[in-house]
Amino acid sequence: MKPRRDFAQHWLRSDKALSSIIKAAELKSDDKVLEIGPGKGVLTRQLLEHVKSLVAVEIDKDLCELLVKKLGEEENFLLLNGDFLSLDLAALVKEFPVFQNQNKVVANIPYNITGPIIEKLLGKIGSPNPQPYDLIVLLVQKEVAERIVAKPGRTSFGALSVRVQYLADCQMICTVPAKAFYPPPKVDSAVIKLTPTEREVVAKNPRKLETLVKLGFSAKRKMLRNNLQSIVERDNLTQLLEKLSVNPQARAEELSVMQWVSLANELENQDA
Ligand code: SAH
């Protein structure tokens, strides 16, 4: 079966990468796992050995037929044919208690929809997933992985870093070279582990934080105060930044996630 480019199909063929993914997922016999894009089932097969149940969502009908042939006998396996982004998982597994309320996600996902997948798994700052997973282990492009785990001050630290790090602890597990796949993608990849958590200091108005981050990073080279011009008066922002021990001339990428939250909360207090 020829790998389809429109579905971002790249088969993982590295045992080393597979075992890194399995290890990072810290699988237990009562885990209920979700896999997005099982493909030909290399990861699927290994997951099934460790867990109580596995739900896999695959968009490609031909692959689904192949997977049924390969793994259809496994009692703890439920395969759904559809687009992960648009299907209502909870509704589809309603009749199958053993497959409900998955607590972990482990997947080598299609790279063309990495952002939307992460957003569906974690939710947004303003509307976090009300039933967060215990753990999410994903194979993604290395460049995206670097942005997700980036520390403030780094060039890769951007709106994505703040959005994901606000909702989850983020860890880089390992890099995976392009040649670990068939066909090799244009870029290297990396395994990341996201552990959804509640922050010590939470945003009083999460939607405000969401807007602030989006605007703050809208033009990366510019100073924060220029990017935020439309919502905060310049002198006011200077004072707030000084209060938070941030250089008033700072760019967006210099603020830590906690400083973003504090800034949003200061603004919320003023508006209240
Ligand atoms: N996990 C497999 C395949 C990874 S390639 C492996 O490691 O080898 C990405 C997989 O995601 C492909 O099987 C592709 O068909 C599937 N896919 C692409 N878009 C999808 C979507 N919107 N929903 C579900 N699966 C999708």
Side-chain angles (χ1 to χ4, degrees):
M1 206 182 283
K2 243 181 122 197
R4 287 181 61 163
R5 220 198 281 198
D6 53 343
F7 290 151
Q9 292 175 351
H10 299 275
W11 316 133
L12 187 60
R13 52 171 186 177
S14 150
D15 288 334
K16 195 172 157 210
L18 273 171
S19 61
S20 303
I21 295 172
I22 294 289
K23 195 169 156 223
E26 298 165 34
L27 297 169
K28 301 194 180 63
S29 54
D30 59 350
D31 278 337
K32 295 170 153 191
V33 175
L34 165 67
E35 184 186 6
I36 302 145
K40 292 165 116 182
V42 270
L43 178 59
T44 320
R45 192 184 285 282
Q46 296 208 9
L47 289 170
L48 282 169
E49 283 171 24
H50 293 91
V51 302
K52 180 167 182 185
S53 70
L54 175 66
V55 180
V57 182
E58 173 55 61
I59 200 169
D60 186 330
K61 200 161 163 280
D62 297 332
L63 281 176
C64 285
E65 279 168 20
L66 182 86
L67 285 166
V68 168
K69 278 192 201 126
K70 278 190 183 176
L71 300 167
E73 304 277 287
E74 306 287 333
E75 282 187 10
N76 56 347
F77 183 45
L78 179 69
L79 178 63
L80 300 171
N81 180 205
D83 175 1
F84 172 69
L85 295 179
S86 57
L87 54 73
D88 181 349
L89 204 53
L92 288 168
V93 299
K94 222 171 83 196
E95 313 286 319
F96 312 100
V98 72
F99 295 106
Q100 280 167 9
N101 304 319
Q102 308 95 31
N103 66 320
K104 288 182 184 172
V105 181
V106 185
N108 167 23
I109 59 176
Y111 292 174
N112 56 339
I113 50 171
T114 302
I117 287 178
I118 292 179
E119 191 172 301
K120 185 159 176 179
L121 297 175
L122 291 176
K124 298 206 245 183
I125 294 177
S127 49
N129 183 347
Q131 284 172 306
Y133 297 97
D134 296 337
L135 203 69
I136 302 169
V137 176
L138 301 177
L139 187 49
V140 299
Q141 293 116 296
K142 187 170 162 224
E143 180 262 335
V144 176
E146 281 166 350
R147 276 161 56 204
I148 287 173
V149 306
K151 297 267 186 302
R154 296 307 186 95
T155 43
S156 46
F157 188 80
L160 179 69
S161 325
V162 180
R163 289 202 309 263
V164 177
Q165 290 175 24
Y166 180 71
L167 297 168
D169 289 332
C170 303
Q171 198 189 336
M172 176 79 89
I173 301 295
C174 62
T175 55
V176 177
K179 66 174 195 299
F181 301 84
Y182 176 79
K186 288 202 184 73
V187 291
D188 286 337
S189 299
V191 180
I192 51 167
K193 177 159 113 182
L194 311 179
T195 313
T197 22
E198 181 108 28
R199 293 285 146 228
E200 271 165 51
V201 183
V202 295
K204 290 180 185 158
N205 180 345
R207 279 177 216 279
K208 180 163 278 175
L209 174 60
E210 209 173 274
T211 312
L212 195 69
V213 169
K214 191 173 169 196
L215 275 178
F217 282 99
S218 54
K220 252 203 137 182
R221 304 267 147 244
K222 281 197 194 165
M223 280 185 261
L224 187 60
R225 63 180 186 208
N226 292 330
N227 284 342
L228 294 182
Q229 230 160 189
S230 62
I231 50 164
V232 201
E233 202 258 319
R234 199 182 168 111
D235 292 343
N236 183 19
L237 184 65
T238 301
Q239 277 180 9
L240 289 179
L241 290 175
E242 276 169 355
K243 191 171 166 188
L244 301 174
S245 313
V246 176
N247 175 356
Q249 309 209 353
R251 295 169 211 275
E253 63 262 33
E254 292 169 54
L255 273 67
S256 68
V257 175
M258 279 309 112
Q259 284 170 327
W260 278 106
V261 176
S262 303
L263 181 60
N265 285 348
E266 292 288 343
L267 288 167
E268 181 64 13
N269 288 344
Q270 287 185 347
D271 292 349

